[in-house]
Amino acid sequence: MIHPSRRSVVGLGAAAAGTLLLPRFAIAQADNRPAITIAVQKVTNSNTLDVMREQSNVGERVFFSSLWEALIGKNWRGSLETVPGLATEWRRIDEQTVELKLRPGVKFHNGDEMTAEDVVFSFGRERMFGSTEAKNRTTIKAFEQIPTPRPGKELPPEVSATARRIWPDLLRVDAVDKYTVRFVNATPDVTLEGRLSRYGSNILSRRGWEEAASYLDWARKPVTTGPYKVVEFKPDVSLTLEAHDEYWGGRPPLKRIRFVEVPEVSSRVNGLISGDYQFACDIPPDQIAGIEKNATFEVQGGTILNHRLTVFDKNHAQLANPLMRRAFTHAIDRQAIVDSLWSGRTRVPRGLQWEYYADMFQADWTVPEYNPALAQDLLKQANYKGDAIPYRLLNNYYTNQVATAQILVEMWKAVGLNVQIETKENWTQIMERSNTRAVRDWSNSAPFNDPVSSIVAQHGPNGQQQQIGEYANAEVNTLSEFLETSTDRPARRKAFRRMLEICEREDPAYTVLHQNAVFTAKPKSIKWKAAPAFAMDFRAGNFEV
């Protein structure tokens, strides 16, 4: 691996002297851009701004495209198709290697130019992989927890676990020259370009990392290339960003963005109407009509590339028998949930997949049918005696989460399942391994257009379910490796089909409830377009008053 020497900082005296030539009043009067406040349910779950630690829906909203950027970008105002990002072009060298040309002149928040040195460091051991090795399918044990302050840069175990989830076989990144890099994989991989575009494959400043006192100090104020930079982060309270005026994509239209945590929907809506907030996120569908009765406001949004799931811990005494988990899946009337809680604004998808998988999409696949009689028969076969089964729940982290859970519990009760809701305060409590971890809520996204981005990344050997010890299936793991390394597309499609059969039918890891949808309320006077994602785009050309 090439490790260029750290760049020198020169000319500070001349630069400082140059600024004195500018009239002071010009600096003071130059910035009349607006500042906005956005009410969100949660800013981040991990209390960090590290894209490797915060692999979440709420993290996506504050990270992209405001803070973190990748070499291959996404068209947030289109259909999320890939577009040039911090790299202007890329090409395949062979089945294991991709070469990318970096965009010259990109400035980090600290004023440094982004070069191959920063890209190599962003994908190196110190920042990402730690002691993990490529081409090793051993499950990396991890656990969701808020990191504590450390004197050095030791990586939280979740970072390397996430790194190998995203890049199971990345061998190294070589700097060919100042503006050219090569990603070298240990195995063939048809999805390298997709992996480069997904969240987690984002670039940071090497100097910004080295100058931070500790990992946590860096993770709460990372130095990146986005159009906005961190001013203040108050965990569990707010995140304030300000414009990065040297942004390569043009001067940001906003002077400042403040994301503030407002857990209750009613408070977000009332704050919007009173003018305290310019945007209110995570609006339930049943609130949309009421908001839009006021002609001053509108609600934007719709379905996104994310599905809501119910997830099983097969180690729980009542769920070890797959017949029990199958009973759960057949007791759910998914369409009734969509109709009653979502006003028909979303849909029941064809399992854990999306049409943009193209030829990998299984068009004839369906979620388990709603069949209460079959569910009852499965419980009888499993010799279920009515023991309580815990259902860990957060208070509307997901839109309509509590209402959905209450409906599910009644549906399960109708077939004889005794499911008891246990409300928890955070994800650490949800994930905690104990004899009360049985059923929980989750959602799964597809960061790029191949099944390895979802079913493998989330339920395979280093998916979260296996890393925290909820689920394992030997055939699933073998199929995961095949999907990650095969270049035979028909064979890969067949392997994906088999994974769906196991994970959704034979030995359920989860069951899909519905496709997720995101709705954001704002004044009509603000000209802004919602992305088909959790992300909120405030770059040049997508905000005007």
Side-chain angles (χ1 to χ4, degrees):
M1 184 180 294
I2 296 175
H3 294 286
S5 61
R6 178 175 164 183
R7 63 174 67 87
S8 301
V9 180
V10 296
L12 292 179
T19 60
L20 297 177
L21 300 176
L22 296 174
R24 292 182 181 275
F25 70 88
I27 297 173
Q29 295 180 0
D31 199 347
N32 57 4
R33 290 169 292 181
I36 62 171
T37 301
I38 302 171
V40 299
Q41 190 272 343
K42 187 73 175 170
V43 175
T44 70
N45 294 318
S46 65
N47 282 349
T48 76
L49 303 175
D50 181 1
V51 69
M52 296 297 292
R53 275 291 288 114
E54 189 65 32
Q55 293 273 305
S56 70
N57 303 340
V58 295
E60 180 181 316
R61 175 163 46 216
V62 301
F63 289 165
F64 313 118
S65 59
S66 297
L67 186 61
W68 285 99
E69 296 185 304
L71 297 173
I72 300 178
K74 294 179 184 294
N75 181 6
W76 296 108
R77 299 173 212 170
S79 301
L80 304 183
E81 67 273 18
T82 57
V83 295
L86 298 179
T88 56
E89 59 184 279
W90 50 93
R91 69 185 181 97
R92 279 276 178 160
I93 302 297
D94 54 41
E95 292 180 340
Q96 298 173 222
T97 312
V98 173
E99 183 177 278
L100 300 97
K101 296 291 184 180
L102 304 184
R103 187 180 297 275
V106 171
K107 293 295 184 69
F108 285 112
H109 299 155
N110 61 6
D112 291 346
E113 183 185 18
M114 180 197 73
T115 68
E117 172 188 351
D118 300 289
V119 176
V120 170
F121 182 80
S122 294
F123 290 87
R125 289 192 179 279
E126 184 178 352
R127 152 61 181 156
M128 186 181 279
F129 292 109
S131 61
T132 65
E133 298 295 339
K135 203 175 178 181
N136 182 354
R137 290 309 191 280
T138 302
T139 299
I140 301 170
K141 299 300 181 185
F143 188 73
E144 290 289 327
Q145 57 186 330
I146 296 173
T148 55
R150 305 175 183 197
K153 299 285 177 54
E154 181 185 351
L155 291 175
E158 293 77 15
V159 171
S160 296
T162 299
R164 285 304 175 196
R165 183 183 306 157
I166 298 172
W167 290 97
D169 297 329
L170 185 64
L171 200 58
R172 67 182 190 273
V173 181
D174 293 338
V176 178
D177 57 40
K178 185 177 180 180
Y179 298 117
T180 308
V181 292
R182 283 184 180 173
F183 282 70
V184 182
N185 219 45
T187 62
D189 189 343
V190 298
T191 71
L192 290 176
E193 294 84 352
R195 294 182 188 279
L196 281 162
S197 72
R198 64 153 293 155
Y199 45 80
S201 296
N202 306 93
I203 308 304
L204 58 93
S205 161
R206 178 175 183 172
R207 184 166 73 89
W209 171 279
E210 291 175 343
E211 292 182 350
S214 69
Y215 167 80
L216 191 58
D217 288 324
W218 172 84
R220 289 182 172 171
K221 199 171 184 178
V223 179
T224 62
T225 62
Y228 299 91
K229 54 189 175 183
V230 180
V231 174
E232 182 183 56
F233 178 44
K234 296 181 178 179
D236 298 321
V237 179
S238 64
L239 168 64
T240 303
L241 308 175
E242 70 177 20
H244 170 42
D245 286 337
E246 291 186 285
Y247 179 56
W248 64 269
R251 189 170 186 253
L254 294 167
K255 177 171 59 179
R256 183 172 285 109
I257 303 173
R258 181 170 181 257
F259 295 92
V260 57
E261 288 193 9
V262 185
E264 297 299 325
V265 173
S266 59
S267 297
R268 295 199 292 274
V269 173
N270 290 337
L272 174 76
I273 294 172
S274 67
D276 292 335
Y277 316 129
Q278 285 68 56
F279 290 83
C281 299
D282 299 318
I283 301 298
D286 65 356
Q287 298 291 312
I288 294 176
I291 294 170
E292 292 188 335
K293 280 183 180 179
N294 185 329
T296 305
F297 299 97
E298 67 177 356
V299 178
Q300 289 194 20
T303 55
I304 62 174
L305 293 174
N306 179 274
H307 292 340
R308 280 275 287 108
L309 315 178
T310 295
V311 183
F312 305 113
D313 184 341
K314 67 183 288 186
N315 300 301
H316 188 272
Q318 300 301 318
L319 299 180
N321 188 333
L323 298 178
M324 290 290 296
R325 285 172 273 134
R326 288 179 56 197
F328 271 84
T329 72
H330 289 292
I332 301 171
D333 186 345
R334 296 163 178 78
Q335 192 60 48
I337 293 173
V338 167
D339 293 341
S340 62
L341 296 182
W342 291 87
S343 304
R345 292 177 182 262
T346 187
R347 62 171 184 162
V348 178
R350 296 185 180 278
L352 191 57
Q353 56 170 343
W354 290 263
E355 285 82 355
Y356 94 136
Y357 284 177
D359 61 325
M360 295 293 286
F361 181 69
Q362 311 283 328
D364 61 339
W365 187 257
T366 62
V367 294
E369 64 170 334
Y370 172 52
N371 189 332
L374 175 57
Q376 290 173 327
D377 182 60
L378 290 167
L379 293 178
K380 183 177 180 181
Q381 293 180 51
N383 199 28
Y384 175 58
K385 302 299 184 183
D387 297 75
I389 301 173
Y391 179 7
R392 292 180 179 175
L393 192 70
L394 292 172
N395 183 20
N396 287 325
Y397 172 83
Y398 299 109
T399 300
N400 282 329
Q401 184 177 11
V402 172
T404 301
Q406 291 169 340
I407 291 175
L408 287 172
V409 167
E410 290 304 311
M411 290 177 176
W412 290 326
K413 181 180 178 181
V415 302
L417 282 162
N418 178 14
V419 180
Q420 302 294 321
I421 289 177
E422 294 185 358
T423 302
K424 302 296 182 181
E425 295 180 357
N426 52 52
W427 281 103
T428 299
Q429 295 176 4
I430 293 288
M431 301 295 189
E432 181 185 14
R433 190 185 305 212
S434 71
N435 58 9
T436 64
R437 191 177 72 179
V439 181
R440 67 175 173 94
D441 288 335
W442 201 20
S443 72
N444 282 182
S445 295
F448 57 92
N449 62 342
D450 190 274
V452 300
S453 75
S454 183
I455 196 168
V456 174
Q458 291 146 343
H459 306 280
N462 276 304
Q464 187 190 72
Q465 271 208 291
Q466 295 205 40
Q467 287 185 342
I468 67 171
E470 277 184 328
Y471 182 84
N473 181 287
E475 187 178 358
V476 163
N477 291 353
T478 298
L479 291 165
S480 294
E481 181 174 1
F482 182 80
L483 276 171
E484 288 174 328
T485 60
S486 173
T487 59
D488 183 335
R489 292 193 71 85
R492 293 182 76 251
R493 188 177 193 278
K494 183 177 179 181
F496 173 43
R497 176 81 173 207
R498 179 61 187 144
M499 286 192 74
L500 287 173
E501 290 172 351
I502 298 169
C503 292
E504 300 189 3
R505 294 278 197 277
E506 296 175 10
D507 185 23
Y510 61 85
T511 191
V512 173
L513 299 177
H514 58 78
Q515 187 166 353
N516 217 341
V518 174
F519 301 100
T520 303
K522 68 173 188 65
K524 286 184 179 178
S525 59
I526 294 177
K527 306 304 179 186
W528 175 84
K529 181 181 178 182
F534 291 104
M536 300 183 76
D537 185 0
F538 292 106
R539 291 172 299 173
N542 200 41
F543 188 95
E544 184 180 346
V545 292

